[in-house]
């Protein structure tokens, strides 16, 4: 007898595989940067592209993760767009040492800095500082994109913060290496020189506070850019740069030899054993995750396909069942998992569908578990599919606000590294309690099925429709059922466009949108990075004690 086909599982699998295929198509387009013509122009100058430079720098065959590939996606269209915000950021291995690499993409407006370019560079530096990761800058940039200078130049989270971070990282002993592989002008000239060591490529690399045209306009001096700030000038006359390289390949090889000599990093003491693949087939995640986000599923089935040997030791299994908590290993690393549950369960109170709602008992359990992981020095992994906290008179009288506040407090004050995977919904205060971007996860990513919003599309659209209809009626307009439906559809479409994972990733609310099968790599590399930065304070929840 042939096996019975699970139609629902097949629908789910088709839906999720199509979503991953769409993700890969979007990434392929983004990886083209400024397009074939600009890539060809770069090659004609004897230069590699940003991604080619990164490929040549990183260890062959070693894992890597890209931060902010979707940054600025769909933004700056009036200026021709800025794929990946004109800068490529990758965590990978250089001479077997995990490093952060930041490479300007000169095919995108000559590597000019848009507002999101600044935000993305600051995110890269933040990750490097949190984890004490060596950071390598591959510089090839025309500087600030002048038509938007007011949005990138003067504020705390703008261009100048980059150099402040250079100085802070230097004082922290975090290695910074900069390669001047193209233009490096004006304020941007400070970045490589505030790094520990700097390299420059002959003929293509240049660094100066003002280029030849500006020098002529300012002081009347006639000079070419190479004499003003080329490789020979800065390695043999000014002494500003430490190494002169004949081409990109030699420059990248030299960086590898420098990194090869770095001393060993500190160890935060996280437990790691030999990695074991999940016993359950990871690809079954596609058939488990419902195509319709309102349908229930058992998060334990997802966890079994993410953790080593599919082994999950559940903490307080029978209590607070709308959140799952427990211990596991991912790629050998010990982790504490906090996950929303959407399963329909039978309890003493009867049948309940949790739907990702956080109840008082669940918040209480999660708070205690987070405290335990801090006590035991175990990194935390949050698996989000949350619609918020339970509302209503019973919940309010039961102290849901107090229990929710305790959970938020525990997440905020956690000293072990936190990693957040948004699997489905990420709504309202549930986003905060489950370690959204505002709560400093070391890395935060979403699957293609993720949604990030203050509330679900249906609820939000109906609320906004009521406001819109009330305003129209106030102006004396007659609203027919057909007009009301048209308004609702328009409002829902606009709202849902802003809740997609791509919208979130374009603004760096997420570090990436990933294939679910990449989740183990992201968590493992994230913990490996965090293992270089032992906690500098003890866990303390202040006045909101457990």
């Amino acid at each position: 007898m042939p096996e019975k086909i699970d139609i629902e599982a097949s629908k789910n699998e088709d839906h999720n595989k199509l979503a991953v295929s769409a993700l890969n198509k979007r990434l392929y387009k983004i990886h083209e940067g400024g397009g074939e013509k600009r890539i060809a122009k770069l090659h004609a100058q004897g230069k590699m592209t940003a991604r080619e430079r990164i490929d040549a720098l990183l260890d062959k065959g070693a894992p890597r993760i890209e931060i902010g590939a979707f940054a600025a996606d769909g933004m700056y269209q009036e200026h021709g767009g800025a794929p990946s915000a004109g800068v490529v950021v990758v965590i990978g291995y250089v001479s077997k040492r995990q490093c952060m690499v930041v490479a300007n993409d000169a095919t995108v407006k000559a590597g000019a800095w848009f507002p999101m370019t600044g935000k993305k560079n600051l995110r890269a530096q933040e990750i490097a500082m949190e984890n004490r990761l060596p950071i390598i800058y591959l510089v090839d940039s025309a500087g600030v994109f002048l038509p938007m200078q007011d949005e990138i130049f003067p504020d705390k989270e703008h261009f100048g913060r980059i150099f402040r971070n250079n100085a802070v990282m230097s004082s922290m002993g975090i290695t910074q290496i900069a390669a001047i592989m193209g233009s490096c002008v004006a304020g941007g000239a400070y970045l490589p020189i505030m790094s520990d060591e700097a390299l420059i490529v002959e003929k293509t690399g240049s660094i100066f506070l003002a280029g030849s045209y500006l020098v002529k306009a300012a002081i009347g001096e006639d000079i070419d850019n190479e004499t003003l700030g080329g490789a020979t000038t800065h390695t043999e006359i000014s002494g500003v740069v430490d190494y002169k390289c004949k081409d990109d390949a030699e420059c990248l090889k030299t960086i590898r030899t420098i990194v090869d000599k770095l001393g060993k990093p500190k160890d935060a003491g996280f437990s790691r054993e030999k990695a074991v693949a999940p016993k359950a087939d990871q690809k079954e995640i596609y058939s488990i995750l419902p195509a319709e986000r309102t349908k229930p599923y058992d998060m334990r089935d997802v966890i079994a396909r993410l953790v080593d040997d599919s082994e999950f030791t559940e903490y307080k299994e029978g209590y607070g069942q709308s959140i799952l908590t427990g211990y596991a290993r991912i790629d050998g690393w010990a982790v504490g998992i906090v996950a929303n549950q959407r399963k329909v369960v039978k309890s003493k109170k009867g049948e309940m569908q949790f739907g990702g709602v956080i109840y008082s008992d669940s918040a209480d359990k999660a708070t205690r578990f987070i405290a335990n992981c801090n006590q035991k020095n175990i990194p935390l992994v949050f698996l989000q599919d949350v619609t918020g906290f339970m509302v209503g008179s019973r919940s309010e009288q039961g102290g849901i606000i107090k229990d929710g506040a305790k959970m938020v407090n525990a997440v905020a004050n956690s000293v072990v590294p936190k990693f957040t995977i948004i699997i489905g919904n990420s709504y309202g205060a549930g986003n905060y309690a489950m370690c959204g971007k505002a709560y400093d996860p070391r890395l935060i990513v979403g699957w293609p099925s993720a949604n990030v919003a203050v509330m679900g599309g249906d609820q939000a659209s109906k609320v906004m429709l009521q406001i819109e209809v009330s305003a129209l009626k106030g102006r004396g307009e007659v609203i027919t059922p057909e007009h009301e439906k048209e308004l609702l559809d328009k409002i829902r479409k606009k709202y849902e466009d802003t809740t997609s994972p791509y919208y979130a990733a374009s603004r760096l609310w997420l570090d990436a949108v990933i294939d679910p099968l990449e989740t183990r790599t992201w968590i493992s590399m994230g913990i490996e990075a965090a293992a270089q930065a032992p906690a500098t304070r003890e866990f303390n929840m202040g006045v909101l004690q457990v």
Side-chain angles (χ1 to χ4, degrees):
M1 291 283 293
E3 287 187 24
K4 185 179 178 181
I5 297 174
D6 187 330
I7 295 175
E8 192 69 28
S10 295
K11 285 182 179 178
N12 293 342
E13 183 177 4
D14 290 344
H15 173 84
N16 289 308
K17 283 186 174 179
L18 283 170
V20 170
S21 177
L23 162 65
N24 290 331
K25 286 179 181 177
R26 294 178 76 139
L27 283 172
Y28 180 82
K29 182 66 176 174
I30 284 170
H31 289 175
E32 290 180 332
E36 291 183 6
K37 288 183 178 179
R38 288 175 181 167
I39 291 172
K41 184 178 179 181
L42 211 64
H43 287 164
Q45 295 170 356
K47 296 161 72 173
M48 298 178 180
T49 66
R51 294 184 183 279
E52 288 168 345
R53 286 167 175 167
I54 290 173
D55 287 343
L57 177 65
L58 297 182
D59 296 349
K60 300 294 183 287
R64 66 176 74 173
I65 54 178
E66 183 173 348
I67 306 296
F70 285 102
D73 185 41
M75 300 172 70
Y76 312 129
Q77 295 305 307
E78 67 276 23
H79 300 295
S84 279
V87 62
V88 184
V89 175
V90 170
I91 298 176
Y93 297 87
V94 179
S95 299
K96 299 181 181 180
R97 180 68 175 266
Q98 196 180 55
C99 296
M100 171 70 73
V101 183
V102 180
N104 297 115
D105 186 349
T107 70
V108 179
K109 290 287 189 295
W113 287 57
F114 289 80
M116 285 303 303
T117 315
K119 186 172 183 178
K120 185 170 174 179
N121 274 268
L122 289 170
R123 176 61 178 149
Q125 289 184 321
E126 177 185 42
I127 293 171
M129 284 190 282
E130 284 180 329
N131 300 289
R132 302 187 72 86
L133 275 180
I135 185 166
I136 300 166
Y137 307 98
L138 307 180
V139 186
D140 192 346
S141 172
V144 166
F145 185 62
L146 290 177
M148 303 187 76
Q149 64 84 25
D150 59 319
E151 297 181 47
I152 182 62
F153 171 64
D155 209 347
K156 182 178 178 180
E157 294 185 347
H158 286 177
F159 194 67
R161 188 76 171 182
I162 305 290
F163 317 129
R164 175 265 185 195
N165 287 349
N166 289 143
V168 170
M169 282 192 281
S170 182
S171 72
M172 293 171 67
I174 297 170
T175 298
Q176 299 176 83
I177 300 168
I180 303 157
M181 308 182 83
S183 179
C184 187
V185 64
Y190 286 104
L191 185 147
I193 308 312
M194 293 187 74
S195 299
D196 300 322
E197 293 183 272
L199 307 87
I200 189 167
V201 178
E202 288 185 274
K203 296 183 174 59
T204 58
S206 60
I207 178 171
F208 32 65
L209 292 180
S212 56
Y213 292 121
L214 186 54
V215 167
K216 173 68 174 176
I219 63 173
E221 181 182 2
D222 282 309
I223 190 169
D224 64 89
N225 282 339
E226 183 65 24
T227 306
L228 181 65
T232 300
T233 296
H234 284 310
T235 57
E236 299 179 19
I237 301 173
S238 73
V240 165
V241 181
D242 307 304
Y243 306 90
K244 181 168 70 172
C245 307
K246 66 179 181 181
D247 55 25
D248 282 6
E250 183 181 283
C251 181
L252 298 167
K253 184 179 178 181
T254 304
I255 294 172
R256 289 180 56 81
T257 64
I258 294 170
V259 174
D260 180 58
K261 311 302 185 298
L262 296 181
K264 289 185 178 181
K266 293 180 180 179
D267 186 358
F270 305 136
S271 171
R272 192 180 196 186
E273 303 290 343
K274 184 178 179 181
V276 179
K279 193 175 289 183
D281 186 354
Q282 295 178 66
K283 293 180 181 177
E284 290 174 352
I285 287 174
Y286 298 137
S287 59
I288 292 167
L289 199 63
E292 296 178 38
R293 302 303 303 122
T294 56
K295 288 193 173 181
Y297 65 97
D298 193 341
M299 184 64 84
R300 291 185 185 88
D301 293 336
V302 174
I303 292 171
R305 286 151 182 85
L306 295 178
V307 302
D308 289 15
D309 207 29
S310 300
E311 187 176 286
F312 179 54
T313 305
E314 198 162 338
Y315 171 82
K316 289 185 181 289
E317 181 179 351
Y319 176 69
Q321 295 183 64
S322 73
I323 287 183
L324 305 179
T325 52
Y327 303 104
R329 289 189 183 274
I330 293 179
D331 198 36
W333 294 103
V335 296
I337 294 175
V338 181
N340 302 113
Q341 176 63 295
R342 296 185 61 93
K343 183 183 177 184
V344 175
V345 300
K346 290 183 179 179
S347 67
K348 292 180 180 179
K349 299 176 183 178
E351 192 174 85
M352 297 176 65
Q353 179 181 336
F354 291 126
V357 176
I358 302 175
Y359 293 81
S360 284
D361 54 359
S362 303
D364 173 64
K365 177 174 79 171
T367 302
R368 291 173 179 272
F369 181 72
I370 291 166
N372 282 348
C373 287
N374 276 272
Q375 179 82 358
K376 298 173 183 177
N377 197 29
I378 300 174
L380 285 159
V381 174
F382 292 83
L383 302 178
Q384 282 199 22
D385 193 345
V386 59
T387 52
F389 285 90
M390 190 60 191
V391 296
S393 60
R394 181 180 295 181
S395 292
E396 298 293 358
Q397 291 168 13
I400 185 67
I401 295 176
K402 178 184 66 177
D403 291 321
K406 284 184 177 181
M407 183 176 173
V408 169
N409 192 302
V411 172
N413 284 299
S414 180
V415 298
V416 294
K418 301 166 290 194
F419 302 90
T420 302
I421 316 296
I422 302 180
I423 290 175
N425 302 321
S426 180
Y427 295 158
N431 170 281
Y432 303 157
M434 291 295 294
C435 198
K437 183 66 182 291
Y439 289 79
D440 298 323
R442 297 294 176 98
L443 296 170
I444 178 170
V445 300
W447 290 358
S449 48
N451 269 277
V452 182
V454 72
M455 65 176 70
D458 284 340
Q459 302 95 313
S461 300
K462 288 172 184 175
V463 170
M464 289 189 285
L465 176 66
Q466 290 174 4
I467 296 169
E468 180 76 9
V469 168
S470 178
L472 291 171
K473 287 181 178 178
R475 294 198 293 267
E477 295 189 30
V478 177
I479 306 299
T480 64
E482 292 77 16
H483 186 197
E484 190 168 314
K485 183 181 182 304
E486 186 181 322
L487 279 173
L488 179 61
D489 291 343
K490 184 178 178 181
I491 290 169
R492 182 186 284 115
K493 172 67 169 61
K494 185 177 180 181
Y495 184 85
E496 289 181 350
D497 284 346
T498 66
T499 69
S500 83
Y502 299 105
Y503 187 91
S506 72
R507 287 147 181 81
L508 287 176
W509 305 341
L510 301 179
D511 290 317
V513 182
I514 66 169
D515 183 335
L517 301 186
E518 297 172 346
T519 305
R520 281 171 55 86
T521 298
W522 274 80
I523 293 171
S524 177
M525 289 190 68
I527 297 175
E528 183 179 344
Q532 302 180 52
T536 56
R537 62 182 178 87
E538 293 183 357
F539 176 69
N540 186 336
M541 285 181 61
V543 296
L544 282 173
Q545 296 297 336
V546 179

